[in-house]
């Protein structure tokens, strides 16, 4: 597919987004869909839930371990063949999981599935960043982010329906038609732009990528720390039960999805700095309200969650747009791998630190730590590029227009 250099998000690019997200949704939902079946799996295989949990842990560890291989694999095979191969590995792992005869075999097959899933999401970002170019990267990343926010909500729901009606093996077999359709559509619509192998050290000389990756790390921590704290806040401080908390957290997801939609367009028009700065302010407002909201009206707390969602979207889009903005087209796959690893590291650091602070202190102290983290993010924001992407990358975009379909 020829690279598209105009600023509009045309039908061809939207179709490409749809083709890639079909495969991505299977991997995203599968991250959480198994969680509802842990009890059933423990009974079927006659082991404790703590042992069955390794079916999820092994999947996640395999996802993280394979990400650094993205750049070399794209250099070797091209994005089209790697996408088809990655979906095929995920599909094979899904089928194998459905045939598991013991907990040991299930864990091994989940690792196979995770090796495929780990490359899917960064590969989606790499392909779309190459196709969109710097003028449209914000809107494209916004479109990609919306399904990512729906997956954690849909996963347990879908898993519960499948386990209750068809049994645990169909949690994995349901991926077969989805992956089959993804392979068929990708074979018809996806081509590989040429890539120019680039060392990781060379990428780190790109200032916008370095600053964007640092902000990705911080935004990952800012996202996952409140994800740990907020449900506990509503349960332990405000006295709501688990079922109610799930509904109470919905405004944050709604705010995030809305934010991903409009901040992507805003970042393309005005540059990533102003969008990320707006996101930091909104996120800080929401966190301060929760930190001081032990006796606040519920409507105030729900508004704070909306602000947090909008803020997280703004920071995330600003960081993503900056990360890919000045990277040569052929080096984007390696940049996507770097961004994905950094994001997961930030999420882990945020979760662990928030848990430690809460254990040794109070919710006010824990949210205060998140607020300090937002302050650091706000300082980093001022080093992001300002203004819309101009013509400085015209040569790189012309390079992307020369299609090298490595079939």
């Amino acid at each position: 597919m020829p690279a598209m250099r105009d600023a509009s998000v045309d039908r061809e690019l939207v179709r490409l987004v749809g083709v890639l997200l079909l495969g991505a949704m299977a991997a995203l939902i599968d991250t959480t869909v198994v969680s509802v079946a842990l009890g059933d799996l423990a009974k079927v295989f006659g082991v404790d839930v703590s042992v069955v949990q390794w079916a999820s842990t092994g999947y996640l560890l395999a996802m993280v371990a394979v990400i650094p291989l993205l750049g070399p694999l794209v250099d070797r095979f091209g994005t089209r063949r790697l996408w088809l191969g990655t979906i095929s590995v995920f599909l094979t792992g899904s089928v194998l999981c459905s045939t598991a005869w013991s907990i040991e075999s299930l864990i091994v097959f989940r690792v196979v599935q995770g090796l495929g899933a780990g490359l899917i999401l960064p590969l989606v970002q790499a392909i779309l960043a190459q196709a969109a170019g710097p003028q449209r990267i914000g809107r494209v990343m916004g479109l990609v982010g919306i399904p990512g926010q729906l997956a954690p909500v849909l996963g347990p729901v879908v898993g519960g329906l499948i386990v209750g009606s068809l049994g645990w093996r169909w949690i994995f077999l349901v991926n077969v038609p989805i992956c089959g359709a993804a392979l068929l559509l990708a074979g018809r619509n996806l081509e590989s732009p040429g890539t120019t192998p680039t060392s990781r050290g060379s990428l780190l000389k790109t200032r916008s990528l370095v600053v964007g990756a640092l902000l990705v790390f911080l935004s990952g921590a800012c996202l996952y720390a409140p994800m740990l704290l907020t449900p506990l806040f509503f349960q332990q401080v405000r006295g709501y039960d688990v079922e109610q908390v799930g509904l109470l957290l919905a405004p944050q997801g709604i705010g995030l999805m809305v934010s991903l939609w409009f901040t992507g367009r805003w970042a393309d028009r005005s540059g990533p700095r102003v969008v990320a700065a707006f996101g930091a302010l909104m996120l800080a407002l929401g966190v301060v309200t929760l930190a001081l909201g032990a006796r606040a009206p519920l409507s105030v707390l729900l508004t704070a969650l909306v602000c947090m969602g909008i803020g997280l979207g703004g920071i995330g889009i600003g960081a993503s747009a900056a990360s890919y903005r000045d990277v040569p087209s052929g080096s984007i796959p390696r940049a996507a791998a770097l961004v994905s690893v950094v994001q997961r590291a930030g999420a882990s650091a945020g979760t662990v630190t928030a848990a430690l602070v809460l254990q040794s202190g109070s919710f006010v102290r824990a949210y205060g730590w998140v607020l300090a983290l937002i302050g650091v993010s706000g300082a980093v924001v001022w080093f992001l590029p300002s203004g819309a992407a101009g013509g400085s990358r015209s040569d790189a975009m012309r390079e992307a227009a020369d299609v090298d379909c490595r079939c």
Side-chain angles (χ1 to χ4, degrees):
M1 184 190 67
M4 295 160 284
R5 293 188 294 273
D6 59 273
S8 63
V9 178
D10 56 28
R11 185 176 302 174
E12 187 176 359
L13 183 56
V14 172
R15 183 171 67 248
L16 179 60
V17 171
V19 169
L20 296 176
L21 288 185
L22 182 62
M25 280 298 291
L28 284 168
I29 291 178
D30 212 75
T31 304
T32 56
V33 72
V34 178
S35 61
V36 300
L38 293 180
D40 289 60
L41 292 172
K43 294 178 182 178
V44 168
F45 295 122
V47 296
D48 294 334
V49 173
S50 60
V51 178
V52 177
Q53 183 64 40
W54 278 100
S56 296
T57 303
Y59 177 85
L60 295 174
L61 290 175
M63 286 183 68
V64 175
V66 77
I67 291 174
L69 300 177
L70 177 63
L73 289 174
V74 169
D75 293 341
R76 175 66 178 84
F77 299 105
T79 52
R80 180 179 185 273
R81 282 198 291 174
L82 183 58
W83 175 259
L84 295 174
T86 296
I87 295 294
S88 298
V89 171
F90 179 78
L91 174 59
T92 301
S94 299
V95 174
L96 289 174
C97 286
S98 72
T99 67
W101 58 89
S102 65
I103 187 59
E104 292 81 7
S105 63
L106 179 61
I107 292 173
V108 171
F109 295 152
R110 282 285 280 173
V111 169
V112 174
Q113 195 184 28
L115 292 175
L119 290 179
I120 288 177
L121 297 181
L123 194 53
V124 167
Q125 291 189 7
I127 294 172
L128 291 179
Q130 287 180 317
Q135 290 83 8
R136 303 182 296 181
I137 189 65
R139 279 165 289 180
V140 168
M141 291 298 112
L143 289 174
V144 172
I146 292 174
Q149 304 309 315
L150 290 175
V153 178
L154 294 178
V157 176
V158 173
L161 292 175
I162 293 176
V163 172
S165 57
L166 299 175
W168 68 268
R169 296 185 189 274
W170 282 92
I171 286 180
F172 306 107
L173 289 175
V174 74
N175 291 326
V176 174
I178 298 175
C179 292
L183 288 171
L184 179 63
L185 292 173
R188 294 179 176 179
N189 295 278
L190 186 62
E191 295 179 350
S192 288
T195 60
T196 303
T198 304
S199 67
R200 185 64 58 88
S202 176
L203 279 178
L204 294 180
K205 295 178 182 178
T206 306
R207 180 176 178 273
S208 60
L209 172 61
V210 174
V211 178
L214 177 58
L215 191 58
V216 165
F217 176 88
L218 293 170
S219 65
C222 289
L223 171 62
Y224 280 86
M227 282 179 62
L228 171 72
L229 296 174
T230 305
L232 294 175
F233 170 82
F234 276 108
Q235 292 178 63
Q236 298 179 12
V237 177
R238 300 302 298 252
Y240 293 100
D241 58 36
V242 176
E243 292 78 9
Q244 291 174 316
V245 169
L247 294 175
L248 291 172
L249 295 179
Q252 179 174 327
I254 295 172
L256 181 53
M257 286 189 289
V258 171
S259 177
L260 290 172
W261 176 257
F262 80 83
T263 56
R265 298 170 178 268
W266 188 10
D268 289 337
R269 290 197 310 266
S270 305
R273 181 190 297 177
V274 64
V275 174
F278 166 78
L281 289 174
M282 293 296 290
L283 181 58
L285 177 62
V287 170
V288 168
T289 303
L290 286 179
L292 303 177
R295 298 179 180 176
L298 181 59
S299 59
V300 173
L301 298 180
L302 296 181
T303 302
L305 289 175
V306 173
C307 291
M308 289 176 62
I310 293 174
L312 288 168
I315 292 180
I317 289 296
S320 296
S323 296
Y324 299 112
R325 173 173 169 137
D326 298 321
V327 176
S329 178
S331 301
I332 283 179
R334 291 180 182 271
L338 174 64
V339 170
S340 296
V341 171
V342 166
Q343 184 178 40
R344 283 165 173 77
S348 300
T351 301
V352 171
T353 306
L356 291 175
V357 174
L358 180 61
Q359 186 177 8
S360 61
S362 63
F363 280 97
V364 173
R365 183 176 178 182
Y367 277 122
W369 175 83
V370 176
L371 190 62
L373 196 63
I374 297 170
V376 176
S377 303
V380 174
V381 161
W382 296 109
F383 294 93
L384 294 177
S386 61
S392 60
R393 284 189 55 195
S394 58
D395 292 338
M397 294 309 297
R398 283 193 211 93
E399 171 194 345
D402 297 327
V403 178
D404 176 21
C405 184
R406 302 179 181 181
C407 303

